[in-house]
Amino acid sequence: MEALLNALPWIVGGLMLILLLAALRRPLQWLAALAARTGAGLAVLWLFSGVGHLVGVHLGVNLVNALVLGVLGAPGFGLLLMLNWALA
């Protein structure tokens, strides 16, 4: 009986952890997808930085620009180009 009472907090804690992970499954999936898309946006910005000087356009390779590309996709790239043109 004493062994069960000693193991009870671990069992309850494990069940609470399982419930917490089950409740946060969708937000964690959303964050993982956003991180993947932001990484792809960062890669596109890095590739564009090598070619951009040929056409006279320079976009900064930073997290904010990568997040814009990750959230908005191709229209976000157009938005960044238009902002660069308008603010330059």
Side-chain angles (χ1 to χ4, degrees):
M1 186 68 174
E2 185 177 334
L4 179 63
L5 288 177
N6 287 336
L8 190 61
W10 289 101
I11 294 170
V12 171
L15 289 174
M16 289 179 66
L17 181 65
I18 290 171
L19 289 174
L20 180 69
L21 288 176
L24 293 178
R25 188 177 75 183
R26 288 218 179 197
L28 290 176
Q29 285 176 344
W30 182 81
L31 283 175
L34 179 64
R37 291 177 58 114
T38 301
L42 196 59
V44 167
L45 284 172
W46 180 75
L47 290 172
F48 185 74
S49 70
V51 181
H53 69 279
L54 296 174
V55 293
V57 178
H58 175 72
L59 290 176
V61 181
N62 56 40
L63 185 59
V64 174
N65 287 348
L67 276 170
V68 169
L69 286 179
V71 171
L72 298 178
F77 189 72
L79 173 69
L80 288 174
L81 288 175
M82 288 182 64
L83 279 173
N84 186 12
W85 174 75
L87 296 177

